[in-house]
PDB file of all heavy atoms in Angstrom:
ATOM      1  N   GLN Z  26       9.140  -0.918  -1.221  1.00 98.00           N
ATOM      2  CA  GLN Z  26       9.083  -0.688  -2.660  1.00 98.00           C
ATOM      3  C   GLN Z  26       9.078  -1.989  -3.457  1.00 98.00           C
ATOM      4  O   GLN Z  26       8.486  -2.053  -4.534  1.00 98.00           O
ATOM      5  CB  GLN Z  26      10.247   0.198  -3.091  1.00 98.00           C
ATOM      6  CG  GLN Z  26      10.000   1.681  -2.858  1.00 98.00           C
ATOM      7  CD  GLN Z  26       8.787   2.194  -3.605  1.00 98.00           C
ATOM      8  OE1 GLN Z  26       8.685   2.055  -4.830  1.00 98.00           O
ATOM      9  NE2 GLN Z  26       7.844   2.780  -2.873  1.00 98.00           N
ATOM     10  N   ARG Z  27       9.711  -3.034  -2.946  1.00 98.00           N
ATOM     11  CA  ARG Z  27       9.734  -4.296  -3.690  1.00 98.00           C
ATOM     12  C   ARG Z  27       8.313  -4.811  -3.947  1.00 98.00           C
ATOM     13  O   ARG Z  27       8.047  -5.392  -5.005  1.00 98.00           O
ATOM     14  CB  ARG Z  27      10.556  -5.342  -2.934  1.00 98.00           C
ATOM     15  CG  ARG Z  27      10.575  -6.736  -3.570  1.00 98.00           C
ATOM     16  CD  ARG Z  27      11.113  -6.748  -4.991  1.00 98.00           C
ATOM     17  NE  ARG Z  27      12.514  -6.433  -5.058  1.00 98.00           N
ATOM     18  CZ  ARG Z  27      13.494  -7.340  -5.026  1.00 98.00           C
ATOM     19  NH1 ARG Z  27      13.208  -8.632  -4.915  1.00 98.00           N
ATOM     20  NH2 ARG Z  27      14.743  -6.957  -5.121  1.00 98.00           N
ATOM     21  N   ALA Z  28       7.387  -4.590  -3.025  1.00 98.00           N
ATOM     22  CA  ALA Z  28       6.014  -5.066  -3.220  1.00 98.00           C
ATOM     23  C   ALA Z  28       5.371  -4.382  -4.425  1.00 98.00           C
ATOM     24  O   ALA Z  28       4.722  -5.033  -5.259  1.00 98.00           O
ATOM     25  CB  ALA Z  28       5.189  -4.818  -1.960  1.00 98.00           C
ATOM     26  N   TYR Z  29       5.533  -3.074  -4.550  1.00 98.00           N
ATOM     27  CA  TYR Z  29       4.954  -2.343  -5.678  1.00 98.00           C
ATOM     28  C   TYR Z  29       5.648  -2.730  -6.980  1.00 98.00           C
ATOM     29  O   TYR Z  29       4.992  -2.848  -8.032  1.00 98.00           O
ATOM     30  CB  TYR Z  29       5.078  -0.837  -5.439  1.00 98.00           C
ATOM     31  CG  TYR Z  29       4.416  -0.353  -4.174  1.00 98.00           C
ATOM     32  CD1 TYR Z  29       5.139  -0.225  -2.989  1.00 98.00           C
ATOM     33  CD2 TYR Z  29       3.062  -0.020  -4.150  1.00 98.00           C
ATOM     34  CE1 TYR Z  29       4.535   0.217  -1.822  1.00 98.00           C
ATOM     35  CE2 TYR Z  29       2.454   0.427  -2.977  1.00 98.00           C
ATOM     36  CZ  TYR Z  29       3.198   0.536  -1.817  1.00 98.00           C
ATOM     37  OH  TYR Z  29       2.597   0.973  -0.657  1.00 98.00           O
ATOM     38  N   GLU Z  30       6.947  -2.937  -6.929  1.00 98.00           N
ATOM     39  CA  GLU Z  30       7.680  -3.339  -8.124  1.00 98.00           C
ATOM     40  C   GLU Z  30       7.230  -4.713  -8.606  1.00 98.00           C
ATOM     41  O   GLU Z  30       7.089  -4.942  -9.828  1.00 98.00           O
ATOM     42  CB  GLU Z  30       9.175  -3.346  -7.829  1.00 98.00           C
ATOM     43  CG  GLU Z  30       9.765  -1.969  -7.570  1.00 98.00           C
ATOM     44  CD  GLU Z  30      11.132  -1.996  -6.907  1.00 98.00           C
ATOM     45  OE1 GLU Z  30      11.628  -3.112  -6.616  1.00 98.00           O
ATOM     46  OE2 GLU Z  30      11.692  -0.915  -6.660  1.00 98.00           O
ATOM     47  N   GLU Z  31       7.009  -5.637  -7.679  1.00 98.00           N
ATOM     48  CA  GLU Z  31       6.515  -6.960  -8.064  1.00 98.00           C
ATOM     49  C   GLU Z  31       5.139  -6.850  -8.717  1.00 98.00           C
ATOM     50  O   GLU Z  31       4.854  -7.520  -9.716  1.00 98.00           O
ATOM     51  CB  GLU Z  31       6.445  -7.875  -6.840  1.00 98.00           C
ATOM     52  CG  GLU Z  31       7.794  -8.303  -6.289  1.00 98.00           C
ATOM     53  CD  GLU Z  31       8.505  -9.313  -7.170  1.00 98.00           C
ATOM     54  OE1 GLU Z  31       7.930  -9.768  -8.174  1.00 98.00           O
ATOM     55  OE2 GLU Z  31       9.662  -9.649  -6.846  1.00 98.00           O
ATOM     56  N   ALA Z  32       4.289  -6.017  -8.150  1.00 98.00           N
ATOM     57  CA  ALA Z  32       2.948  -5.841  -8.725  1.00 98.00           C
ATOM     58  C   ALA Z  32       3.029  -5.233 -10.118  1.00 98.00           C
ATOM     59  O   ALA Z  32       2.308  -5.652 -11.035  1.00 98.00           O
ATOM     60  CB  ALA Z  32       2.104  -4.968  -7.806  1.00 98.00           C
ATOM     61  N   ASP Z  33       3.905  -4.248 -10.308  1.00 98.00           N
ATOM     62  CA  ASP Z  33       4.068  -3.626 -11.626  1.00 98.00           C
ATOM     63  C   ASP Z  33       4.429  -4.655 -12.682  1.00 98.00           C
ATOM     64  O   ASP Z  33       3.821  -4.718 -13.754  1.00 98.00           O
ATOM     65  CB  ASP Z  33       5.176  -2.565 -11.576  1.00 98.00           C
ATOM     66  CG  ASP Z  33       4.781  -1.293 -10.856  1.00 98.00           C
ATOM     67  OD1 ASP Z  33       3.571  -1.084 -10.620  1.00 98.00           O
ATOM     68  OD2 ASP Z  33       5.685  -0.504 -10.525  1.00 98.00           O
ATOM     69  N   ARG Z  34       5.443  -5.453 -12.384  1.00 98.00           N
ATOM     70  CA  ARG Z  34       5.961  -6.355 -13.416  1.00 98.00           C
ATOM     71  C   ARG Z  34       5.072  -7.571 -13.634  1.00 98.00           C
ATOM     72  O   ARG Z  34       5.121  -8.195 -14.699  1.00 98.00           O
ATOM     73  CB  ARG Z  34       7.393  -6.777 -13.089  1.00 98.00           C
ATOM     74  CG  ARG Z  34       7.557  -7.765 -11.974  1.00 98.00           C
ATOM     75  CD  ARG Z  34       9.026  -8.164 -11.801  1.00 98.00           C
ATOM     76  NE  ARG Z  34       9.237  -9.213 -10.818  1.00 98.00           N
ATOM     77  CZ  ARG Z  34       9.116 -10.504 -11.080  1.00 98.00           C
ATOM     78  NH1 ARG Z  34       8.782 -10.903 -12.291  1.00 98.00           N
ATOM     79  NH2 ARG Z  34       9.322 -11.402 -10.128  1.00 98.00           N
ATOM     80  N   ARG Z  35       4.235  -7.903 -12.649  1.00 98.00           N
ATOM     81  CA  ARG Z  35       3.342  -9.050 -12.794  1.00 98.00           C
ATOM     82  C   ARG Z  35       1.952  -8.643 -13.281  1.00 98.00           C
ATOM     83  O   ARG Z  35       1.130  -9.508 -13.591  1.00 98.00           O
ATOM     84  CB  ARG Z  35       3.206  -9.779 -11.454  1.00 98.00           C
ATOM     85  CG  ARG Z  35       4.500 -10.383 -10.915  1.00 98.00           C
ATOM     86  CD  ARG Z  35       4.309 -10.898  -9.505  1.00 98.00           C
ATOM     87  NE  ARG Z  35       5.539 -11.258  -8.826  1.00 98.00           N
ATOM     88  CZ  ARG Z  35       6.018 -12.496  -8.720  1.00 98.00           C
ATOM     89  NH1 ARG Z  35       5.344 -13.495  -9.253  1.00 98.00           N
ATOM     90  NH2 ARG Z  35       7.137 -12.734  -8.067  1.00 98.00           N
ATOM     91  N   GLY Z  36       1.650  -7.353 -13.288  1.00 98.00           N
ATOM     92  CA  GLY Z  36       0.340  -6.894 -13.747  1.00 98.00           C
ATOM     93  C   GLY Z  36      -0.750  -7.022 -12.712  1.00 98.00           C
ATOM     94  O   GLY Z  36      -1.919  -7.232 -13.055  1.00 98.00           O
ATOM     95  N   ILE Z  37      -0.403  -6.882 -11.439  1.00 98.00           N
ATOM     96  CA  ILE Z  37      -1.379  -6.998 -10.347  1.00 98.00           C
ATOM     97  C   ILE Z  37      -1.812  -5.608  -9.903  1.00 98.00           C
ATOM     98  O   ILE Z  37      -0.974  -4.757  -9.598  1.00 98.00           O
ATOM     99  CB  ILE Z  37      -0.770  -7.769  -9.159  1.00 98.00           C
ATOM    100  CG1 ILE Z  37      -0.417  -9.191  -9.592  1.00 98.00           C
ATOM    101  CG2 ILE Z  37      -1.720  -7.790  -7.976  1.00 98.00           C
ATOM    102  CD1 ILE Z  37       0.356  -9.970  -8.534  1.00 98.00           C
ATOM    103  N   LEU Z  38      -3.108  -5.360  -9.875  1.00 98.00           N
ATOM    104  CA  LEU Z  38      -3.632  -4.070  -9.435  1.00 98.00           C
ATOM    105  C   LEU Z  38      -3.502  -3.947  -7.924  1.00 98.00           C
ATOM    106  O   LEU Z  38      -3.741  -4.906  -7.185  1.00 98.00           O
ATOM    107  CB  LEU Z  38      -5.087  -3.905  -9.858  1.00 98.00           C
ATOM    108  CG  LEU Z  38      -5.379  -4.011 -11.363  1.00 98.00           C
ATOM    109  CD1 LEU Z  38      -6.849  -3.766 -11.634  1.00 98.00           C
ATOM    110  CD2 LEU Z  38      -4.526  -3.047 -12.162  1.00 98.00           C
ATOM    111  N   ILE Z  39      -3.168  -2.734  -7.467  1.00 98.00           N
ATOM    112  CA  ILE Z  39      -2.839  -2.512  -6.064  1.00 98.00           C
ATOM    113  C   ILE Z  39      -3.701  -1.411  -5.457  1.00 98.00           C
ATOM    114  O   ILE Z  39      -3.877  -0.346  -6.050  1.00 98.00           O
ATOM    115  CB  ILE Z  39      -1.348  -2.129  -5.915  1.00 98.00           C
ATOM    116  CG1 ILE Z  39      -0.447  -3.318  -6.227  1.00 98.00           C
ATOM    117  CG2 ILE Z  39      -1.044  -1.583  -4.516  1.00 98.00           C
ATOM    118  CD1 ILE Z  39      -0.518  -4.448  -5.214  1.00 98.00           C
ATOM    119  N   LEU Z  40      -4.224  -1.690  -4.258  1.00 98.00           N
ATOM    120  CA  LEU Z  40      -4.722  -0.655  -3.364  1.00 98.00           C
ATOM    121  C   LEU Z  40      -3.677  -0.469  -2.271  1.00 98.00           C
ATOM    122  O   LEU Z  40      -3.155  -1.445  -1.727  1.00 98.00           O
ATOM    123  CB  LEU Z  40      -6.054  -1.055  -2.728  1.00 98.00           C
ATOM    124  CG  LEU Z  40      -7.266  -1.191  -3.647  1.00 98.00           C
ATOM    125  CD1 LEU Z  40      -8.485  -1.638  -2.845  1.00 98.00           C
ATOM    126  CD2 LEU Z  40      -7.562   0.117  -4.365  1.00 98.00           C
ATOM    127  N   THR Z  41      -3.379   0.760  -1.944  1.00 98.00           N
ATOM    128  CA  THR Z  41      -2.393   1.040  -0.896  1.00 98.00           C
ATOM    129  C   THR Z  41      -2.904   2.187  -0.044  1.00 98.00           C
ATOM    130  O   THR Z  41      -3.642   3.045  -0.532  1.00 98.00           O
ATOM    131  CB  THR Z  41      -1.012   1.361  -1.511  1.00 98.00           C
ATOM    132  OG1 THR Z  41      -0.043   1.496  -0.475  1.00 98.00           O
ATOM    133  CG2 THR Z  41      -1.043   2.619  -2.354  1.00 98.00           C
ATOM    134  N   GLU Z  42      -2.526   2.217   1.228  1.00 98.00           N
ATOM    135  CA  GLU Z  42      -3.173   3.149   2.146  1.00 98.00           C
ATOM    136  C   GLU Z  42      -2.236   3.612   3.244  1.00 98.00           C
ATOM    137  O   GLU Z  42      -1.207   2.987   3.523  1.00 98.00           O
ATOM    138  CB  GLU Z  42      -4.408   2.493   2.770  1.00 98.00           C
ATOM    139  CG  GLU Z  42      -4.110   1.248   3.574  1.00 98.00           C
ATOM    140  CD  GLU Z  42      -5.348   0.405   3.870  1.00 98.00           C
ATOM    141  OE1 GLU Z  42      -6.256   0.353   3.008  1.00 98.00           O
ATOM    142  OE2 GLU Z  42      -5.400  -0.194   4.957  1.00 98.00           O
ATOM    143  N   VAL Z  43      -2.630   4.729   3.858  1.00 98.00           N
ATOM    144  CA  VAL Z  43      -1.924   5.230   5.031  1.00 98.00           C
ATOM    145  C   VAL Z  43      -2.507   4.567   6.271  1.00 98.00           C
ATOM    146  O   VAL Z  43      -3.639   4.066   6.257  1.00 98.00           O
ATOM    147  CB  VAL Z  43      -2.034   6.761   5.137  1.00 98.00           C
ATOM    148  CG1 VAL Z  43      -1.257   7.422   4.010  1.00 98.00           C
ATOM    149  CG2 VAL Z  43      -3.483   7.223   5.138  1.00 98.00           C
ATOM    150  N   PRO Z  44      -1.751   4.568   7.400  1.00 98.00           N
ATOM    151  CA  PRO Z  44      -2.204   3.831   8.589  1.00 98.00           C
ATOM    152  C   PRO Z  44      -3.201   4.591   9.461  1.00 98.00           C
ATOM    153  O   PRO Z  44      -3.078   4.607  10.690  1.00 98.00           O
ATOM    154  CB  PRO Z  44      -0.890   3.561   9.325  1.00 98.00           C
ATOM    155  CG  PRO Z  44      -0.007   4.694   8.965  1.00 98.00           C
ATOM    156  CD  PRO Z  44      -0.346   5.023   7.537  1.00 98.00           C
ATOM    157  N   ILE Z  45      -4.186   5.207   8.859  1.00 98.00           N
ATOM    158  CA  ILE Z  45      -5.294   5.787   9.622  1.00 98.00           C
ATOM    159  C   ILE Z  45      -6.229   4.630   9.934  1.00 98.00           C
ATOM    160  O   ILE Z  45      -7.022   4.200   9.089  1.00 98.00           O
ATOM    161  CB  ILE Z  45      -6.018   6.880   8.822  1.00 98.00           C
ATOM    162  CG1 ILE Z  45      -5.028   7.958   8.380  1.00 98.00           C
ATOM    163  CG2 ILE Z  45      -7.150   7.480   9.651  1.00 98.00           C
ATOM    164  CD1 ILE Z  45      -4.351   8.689   9.503  1.00 98.00           C
ATOM    165  N   ASN Z  46      -6.126   4.101  11.141  1.00 97.00           N
ATOM    166  CA  ASN Z  46      -6.769   2.828  11.444  1.00 97.00           C
ATOM    167  C   ASN Z  46      -7.342   2.846  12.846  1.00 97.00           C
ATOM    168  O   ASN Z  46      -6.652   3.203  13.809  1.00 97.00           O
ATOM    169  CB  ASN Z  46      -5.728   1.700  11.308  1.00 97.00           C
ATOM    170  CG  ASN Z  46      -6.349   0.338  11.232  1.00 97.00           C
ATOM    171  OD1 ASN Z  46      -6.823  -0.200  12.231  1.00 97.00           O
ATOM    172  ND2 ASN Z  46      -6.347  -0.239  10.050  1.00 97.00           N
ATOM    173  N   SER Z  47      -8.602   2.502  12.969  1.00 96.00           N
ATOM    174  CA  SER Z  47      -9.291   2.318  14.257  1.00 96.00           C
ATOM    175  C   SER Z  47      -9.579   3.634  14.974  1.00 96.00           C
ATOM    176  O   SER Z  47     -10.719   3.910  15.345  1.00 96.00           O
ATOM    177  CB  SER Z  47      -8.498   1.405  15.201  1.00 96.00           C
ATOM    178  OG  SER Z  47      -8.315   0.149  14.639  1.00 96.00           O
ATOM    179  N   LEU Z  48      -8.529   4.436  15.194  1.00 96.00           N
ATOM    180  CA  LEU Z  48      -8.673   5.645  15.999  1.00 96.00           C
ATOM    181  C   LEU Z  48      -8.019   6.827  15.300  1.00 96.00           C
ATOM    182  O   LEU Z  48      -7.039   6.666  14.570  1.00 96.00           O
ATOM    183  CB  LEU Z  48      -8.008   5.463  17.371  1.00 96.00           C
ATOM    184  CG  LEU Z  48      -8.487   4.298  18.237  1.00 96.00           C
ATOM    185  CD1 LEU Z  48      -7.549   4.113  19.427  1.00 96.00           C
ATOM    186  CD2 LEU Z  48      -9.913   4.542  18.718  1.00 96.00           C
ATOM    187  N   VAL Z  49      -8.562   8.021  15.545  1.00 97.00           N
ATOM    188  CA  VAL Z  49      -7.918   9.262  15.130  1.00 97.00           C
ATOM    189  C   VAL Z  49      -7.957  10.226  16.306  1.00 97.00           C
ATOM    190  O   VAL Z  49      -8.757  10.066  17.239  1.00 97.00           O
ATOM    191  CB  VAL Z  49      -8.600   9.901  13.899  1.00 97.00           C
ATOM    192  CG1 VAL Z  49      -8.479   8.992  12.692  1.00 97.00           C
ATOM    193  CG2 VAL Z  49     -10.059  10.224  14.187  1.00 97.00           C
ATOM    194  N   ALA Z  50      -7.098  11.219  16.274  1.00 97.00           N
ATOM    195  CA  ALA Z  50      -7.058  12.230  17.336  1.00 97.00           C
ATOM    196  C   ALA Z  50      -7.455  13.578  16.752  1.00 97.00           C
ATOM    197  O   ALA Z  50      -6.951  13.975  15.691  1.00 97.00           O
ATOM    198  CB  ALA Z  50      -5.665  12.311  17.946  1.00 97.00           C
ATOM    199  N   ASP Z  51      -8.326  14.265  17.450  1.00 97.00           N
ATOM    200  CA  ASP Z  51      -8.801  15.564  16.976  1.00 97.00           C
ATOM    201  C   ASP Z  51      -7.834  16.659  17.418  1.00 97.00           C
ATOM    202  O   ASP Z  51      -8.180  17.546  18.199  1.00 97.00           O
ATOM    203  CB  ASP Z  51     -10.213  15.824  17.512  1.00 97.00           C
ATOM    204  CG  ASP Z  51     -10.852  17.045  16.870  1.00 97.00           C
ATOM    205  OD1 ASP Z  51     -10.347  17.499  15.817  1.00 97.00           O
ATOM    206  OD2 ASP Z  51     -11.860  17.545  17.416  1.00 97.00           O
ATOM    207  N   THR Z  52      -6.596  16.557  16.907  1.00 98.00           N
ATOM    208  CA  THR Z  52      -5.578  17.550  17.223  1.00 98.00           C
ATOM    209  C   THR Z  52      -4.898  18.000  15.940  1.00 98.00           C
ATOM    210  O   THR Z  52      -4.866  17.264  14.944  1.00 98.00           O
ATOM    211  CB  THR Z  52      -4.502  16.975  18.157  1.00 98.00           C
ATOM    212  OG1 THR Z  52      -3.781  15.934  17.477  1.00 98.00           O
ATOM    213  CG2 THR Z  52      -5.126  16.408  19.431  1.00 98.00           C
TER     214      THR Z  52
END
């Protein structure tokens, strides 16, 4: 949360994501 709070107070736009990376499972 500190990363998002720093971005809020400094005015930095943020992209954030879930760890769906490289591979997925069809289950």
Side-chain angles (χ1 to χ4, degrees):
Q26 278 300 304
R27 176 58 68 92
Y29 302 94
E30 293 164 359
E31 290 288 355
D33 286 345
R34 74 177 185 84
R35 297 172 191 262
I37 298 173
L38 302 183
I39 290 292
L40 294 178
T41 186
E42 61 196 35
V43 292
I45 304 298
N46 196 286
S47 300
L48 303 169
V49 296
D51 190 16
T52 65

